[in-house]
Amino acid sequence: MLDIRNVFIYLDRTVVIQTPSFKAIWEMGLSIFKKYFTEFSDVLRRTVSAILITIENERKGEVVDHLLCKRVIRMLSGLQLYAEFFQPKLLINSSNFFASESKSFFSNSAIDVSNYLIYAEKRINQEGERCQQYFESGTLHPLIRTIEKQLLTEHSEELILKGFDQLMEESRFDDLSRFYRLLQRVALLPQLINALKSYVKKIGSVIVNTSDAEKSPIQDLLDFRLKHDNIILNCFQHDNDFIQGVKESWEYVMNFRSETSELLAKYVDSKLRTGEKGLSEIEFEQTLDRVMLLFRHLHSKDIFEAFYKKDLAKRLILQRSASTDAENSMILKLKVECGSNYTMKLENMFKDIQISSDLMLSFQESKFRSFPSDLSLDVKILTTNCWPTYSPSQVEIPKMLKNCQESFKQFYSQNHTGRCLNWIPQLGTALLETKLRSPSSSSAKITKELSVSAFQAVCLLLFNENQSLSFTQIRDLTQISSPELRLTLQSLACGKIRILSKNPKAKEVEDGDIFEVDEEKILTNKLFRIKINNIQAKETKEEQVKTHEGVCQDRQYQIDAAIVRIMKTRKTLTHNLLVAQLFAQLKFPVQTLDLKKRIESLIDREYLERDSKNKTVYNYLA
């Protein structure tokens, strides 16, 4: 055609231009060629078939004549036969080819999802390049859609089922990013979001349900949360749909067990007591921020508050907090999350400690300090309604300590009229100084300091005047209750650091046991200040039960208040509507039976009454 046009180019430039009814040599040649090419349909069919076979061979990795294939396709395009005769068959052929090829991957039950994702992405990219090389621009979109349908849409559920959990478990960032990109192309990200939600629920509930007395599941939950947050950030492009999707899963995980609120509070207590060794302040802050991410999903935030307050009280009273800044930071985070009412009592506890410190400075300079200079006293004044409730334990303290106590009472009474002090000896601590004979010299003395609880101190001071004492004698002299005294003596005579020796030797303390000061154990201890295993810092079963009972009692008050508030507004309401509104207003999990009991209680106390005509309707009594 080019040669013919070149021969008759003079006619094109003269006669054809001057005579509009004449076609140009090139156009006339194409018209004639198209006429005979289409009349002989077998030639057209075989040509198209040959092109498709060539393309299929190229897809299989065989070497083909790219230039020839490109020229033939351009010829079809020039003859305007491409869209009608070639493209539809190309799409059908491509669909069949990739359907067959992809099924070969899934014929084996142990499919490698990672390799398949690499294969799918590679094939899609190859076809994009092939479109630019051979085909018209309008072919790119339908061809890629066809290939994506066969490689991704048809197998998406199976890919997620067989490989997603493993990729998440092994933190395969590249593969997960590829998974996201490919499913995003075919608008199937909701399937990936559901898979992530199921994975978080499954793994999270397993972690929470792991019953290990030695190890809290909270650290594993934090590590798991950090892991999948990094995956969402780096692999799923911080997609907000993924972020919102896992919130529901974490709400399920954090409320899977009723004890999770308590466990989280204890985890925070352990971190604030010991600090985070090897971490900077910024890194420790990040740890607290991660804790707050879990806290946010708790339904029973009141249980967390109760245990957090109890543990904070021990940290403040026993001076076990690693950092005041960290304590204040944690309370600020709780305040931002739950409001000022949630943290008001916690903040007042810190104020009490500060006020007590200032008060003790004034006491030391006052005339009421009448006890010997080798004795020191540090009293903490706790506001009753801000601190956990403590039942004072009975104990007969030594005379010299009684004098200190009386001196402070006189000082406090003079400066604060109308206030009553209730001493709580079980929370007290003491630092005792002991002088023992040196094993190398009978005249030399070795001094040691013993950091003990108040009850331990009361028991140890008895041995200043007694060589040995029985359990019964110690109980009679100290007036400490038998269960409390058993724990105290057990910590002194049966722990890792033993100040007393017990006869007979056994782990349990019995009424007939005899106790003596074990001077050898004290002397052989390398430390100058010996810290005895402090039983005060440990939570007893009774304390745990008491805390839960307190939360239940507070919830009853809140339910009662909510019922009265609703009924005062509505005046008359059916039982079902009242229960529905209570569920909407109450911020903690509650059962319908509990609500029914509180309604009955309010009826008995004449806040409500049943309607005389319809027993399922309640009327508010002003």
Side-chain angles (χ1 to χ4, degrees), residues 332-592:
L332 180 60
K333 294 178 193 300
L334 292 172
K335 187 175 184 178
V336 171
E337 185 67 31
C338 302
S340 57
N341 287 337
Y342 190 84
T343 59
M344 182 174 61
K345 291 182 178 180
L346 304 179
E347 292 173 316
N348 288 337
M349 290 166 69
F350 276 94
K351 290 179 183 178
D352 284 350
I353 296 299
Q354 183 59 49
I355 291 172
S356 297
S357 298
D358 297 339
L359 192 66
M360 290 311 300
L361 291 175
S362 301
F363 172 70
Q364 299 297 338
E365 297 171 357
S366 71
K367 62 180 181 179
F368 293 97
R369 193 194 185 288
S370 57
F371 46 85
S373 58
D374 60 346
L375 286 178
S376 62
L377 179 69
D378 183 19
V379 179
K380 292 180 173 59
I381 307 298
L382 314 180
T383 306
T384 304
N385 62 345
C386 295
W387 292 73
T389 303
Y390 300 105
S391 300
S393 297
Q394 185 177 358
V395 60
E396 183 67 27
I397 62 175
K399 185 177 180 181
M400 58 179 176
L401 296 181
K402 272 188 179 179
N403 294 335
C404 298
Q405 191 180 76
E406 289 299 322
S407 298
F408 182 80
K409 283 180 70 175
Q410 293 173 12
F411 165 78
Y412 191 80
S413 298
Q414 180 170 331
N415 291 278
H416 301 84
T417 57
R419 294 188 183 181
C420 178
L421 289 179
N422 294 315
W423 296 90
I424 310 173
Q426 68 267 30
L427 295 179
T429 59
L431 185 63
L432 304 180
E433 184 180 88
T434 178
K435 295 182 179 180
L436 304 170
R437 293 190 187 90
S438 172
S440 57
S441 173
S442 58
S443 58
K445 296 282 187 179
I446 295 178
T447 302
K448 293 277 189 178
E449 289 184 351
L450 306 178
S451 178
V452 294
S453 70
F455 283 175
Q456 289 171 334
V458 169
C459 293
L460 289 174
L461 288 173
L462 296 176
F463 291 93
N464 283 335
E465 301 173 358
N466 300 277
Q467 186 68 27
S468 64
L469 290 167
S470 68
F471 174 85
T472 306
Q473 289 173 318
I474 296 174
R475 182 183 60 196
D476 294 340
L477 291 170
T478 61
Q479 296 298 306
I480 300 174
S481 65
S482 294
E484 191 74 48
L485 183 59
R486 290 184 199 279
L487 287 174
T488 303
L489 293 175
Q490 198 173 40
S491 65
L492 292 171
C494 305
K496 291 182 180 180
I497 300 175
R498 301 183 180 184
I499 304 301
L500 301 179
S501 62
K502 184 173 79 74
N503 187 28
K505 294 182 179 181
K507 290 184 178 181
E508 300 299 327
V509 175
E510 303 296 340
D511 291 352
D513 292 349
I514 305 297
F515 297 88
E516 294 182 4
V517 175
D518 195 334
E519 295 186 11
E520 183 181 351
K521 289 286 177 64
I522 299 174
L523 290 170
T524 53
N525 195 304
K526 297 179 180 179
L527 298 175
F528 170 72
R529 178 174 292 180
I530 303 172
K531 293 183 179 181
I532 313 303
N533 181 25
N534 197 338
I535 57 176
Q536 294 167 305
K538 295 182 179 180
E539 183 185 50
T540 63
K541 189 69 175 177
E542 291 75 12
E543 285 180 325
Q544 186 180 22
V545 171
K546 188 176 180 181
T547 304
H548 278 290
E549 288 176 350
V551 172
C552 292
Q553 188 66 46
D554 289 341
R555 285 182 175 181
Q556 288 183 5
Y557 297 146
Q558 292 182 53
I559 294 172
D560 289 353
I563 294 171
V564 171
R565 188 165 54 248
I566 293 169
M567 291 303 301
K568 189 174 182 179
T569 304
R570 301 294 295 271
K571 303 302 181 183
T572 299
L573 208 59
T574 64
H575 175 81
N576 290 338
L577 285 176
L578 176 58
V579 170
Q581 291 198 25
L582 286 171
F583 276 123
Q585 287 194 18
L586 296 172
K587 297 180 179 180
F588 49 83
V590 63
Q591 301 296 323
T592 306

Side-chain angles (χ1 to χ4, degrees), residues 26-197:
W26 178 261
E27 292 178 5
M28 186 181 298
L30 285 178
S31 178
I32 295 169
F33 182 78
K34 179 180 179 180
K35 176 183 176 182
Y36 288 101
F37 190 64
T38 53
E39 283 182 0
F40 295 95
S41 58
D42 187 55
V43 176
L44 177 59
R45 180 185 58 78
R46 290 172 64 186
T47 302
V48 171
S49 179
I51 298 172
L52 295 176
I53 290 172
T54 302
I55 292 172
E56 186 170 323
N57 289 337
E58 186 181 17
R59 285 168 173 165
K60 292 178 179 178
E62 298 180 12
V63 178
V64 298
D65 190 337
H66 297 283
L67 185 59
L68 176 61
C69 186
K70 184 177 182 179
R71 285 178 174 176
V72 173
I73 292 173
R74 284 191 176 181
M75 178 194 74
L76 294 176
S77 182
L79 295 173
Q80 297 181 350
L81 300 172
Y82 181 93
E84 182 180 356
F85 293 98
F86 177 71
Q87 181 170 304
K89 292 185 178 181
L90 171 67
L91 296 178
I92 294 172
N93 182 269
S94 299
S95 178
N96 294 334
F97 175 81
F98 287 108
S100 175
E101 190 175 60
S102 62
K103 284 179 181 177
S104 65
F105 275 86
F106 292 91
S107 60
N108 186 0
S109 59
I111 178 177
D112 189 331
V113 173
S114 175
N115 287 340
Y116 184 85
L117 294 174
I118 294 172
Y119 149 78
E121 188 173 51
K122 181 180 178 182
R123 279 303 198 188
I124 292 171
N125 293 335
Q126 285 176 346
E127 291 304 312
E129 294 171 359
R130 187 172 287 111
C131 280
Q132 294 178 355
Q133 186 177 8
Y134 295 147
F135 310 138
E136 289 184 357
S137 59
T139 304
L140 177 62
H141 183 75
L143 179 60
I144 295 300
R145 294 283 83 82
T146 300
I147 296 168
E148 288 173 345
K149 180 178 183 297
Q150 296 301 331
L151 298 185
L152 301 175
T153 306
E154 296 293 332
H155 303 292
S156 60
E157 292 183 2
E158 194 168 1
L159 286 171
I160 290 173
L161 182 64
K162 292 186 175 181
F164 181 76
D165 285 6
Q166 183 180 357
L167 297 181
M168 288 291 296
E169 194 66 33
E170 297 174 3
S171 298
R172 305 266 284 276
F173 277 51
D174 291 340
D175 292 325
L176 288 167
S177 298
R178 190 174 294 110
F179 217 148
Y180 177 86
R181 291 196 302 270
L182 292 175
L183 292 190
Q184 188 181 39
R185 299 178 68 103
V186 291
L188 290 178
L189 286 182
Q191 289 187 11
L192 201 61
I193 293 172
N194 290 333
L196 178 62
K197 289 165 63 176

Side-chain angles (χ1 to χ4, degrees), residues 219-396:
Q219 185 59 55
D220 291 336
L221 283 176
L222 289 172
D223 294 340
F224 177 57
R225 176 73 189 239
L226 180 63
K227 173 183 172 181
H228 83 63
D229 280 352
N230 285 334
I231 289 174
I232 292 175
L233 175 64
N234 297 299
C235 301
F236 302 151
Q237 301 178 14
H238 208 238
D239 193 319
N240 189 58
D241 291 335
F242 282 79
I243 296 172
Q244 295 300 322
V246 296
K247 280 185 178 179
E248 177 189 334
S249 299
W250 274 105
E251 192 169 333
Y252 170 84
V253 170
M254 292 306 295
N255 299 284
F256 185 76
R257 282 179 64 191
S258 58
E259 299 89 348
T260 308
S261 298
E262 178 185 346
L263 293 173
L264 187 62
K266 292 183 182 302
Y267 177 84
V268 175
D269 174 57
S270 68
K271 293 300 178 185
L272 293 176
R273 272 192 290 109
T274 60
E276 194 70 32
K277 297 179 180 178
L279 293 182
S280 64
E281 289 185 11
I282 295 176
E283 290 171 327
F284 188 73
E285 277 292 308
Q286 291 173 346
T287 300
L288 296 182
D289 288 336
R290 289 164 54 202
V291 168
M292 292 306 298
L293 290 177
L294 299 185
F295 171 81
R296 190 168 294 144
H297 302 292
L298 288 175
H299 290 165
S300 301
K301 289 183 173 65
D302 51 348
I303 293 180
F304 176 92
E305 179 196 10
F307 280 94
Y308 183 87
K309 183 169 76 170
K310 179 179 63 62
D311 294 331
L312 173 62
K314 287 190 175 182
R315 292 197 300 274
L316 294 177
I317 293 171
L318 303 178
Q319 299 179 352
R320 293 298 184 91
S321 182
S323 168
T324 303
D325 291 339
E327 294 280 5
N328 290 328
S329 175
M330 185 64 195
I331 290 179
L332 180 60
K333 294 178 193 300
L334 292 172
K335 187 175 184 178
V336 171
E337 185 67 31
C338 302
S340 57
N341 287 337
Y342 190 84
T343 59
M344 182 174 61
K345 291 182 178 180
L346 304 179
E347 292 173 316
N348 288 337
M349 290 166 69
F350 276 94
K351 290 179 183 178
D352 284 350
I353 296 299
Q354 183 59 49
I355 291 172
S356 297
S357 298
D358 297 339
L359 192 66
M360 290 311 300
L361 291 175
S362 301
F363 172 70
Q364 299 297 338
E365 297 171 357
S366 71
K367 62 180 181 179
F368 293 97
R369 193 194 185 288
S370 57
F371 46 85
S373 58
D374 60 346
L375 286 178
S376 62
L377 179 69
D378 183 19
V379 179
K380 292 180 173 59
I381 307 298
L382 314 180
T383 306
T384 304
N385 62 345
C386 295
W387 292 73
T389 303
Y390 300 105
S391 300
S393 297
Q394 185 177 358
V395 60
E396 183 67 27

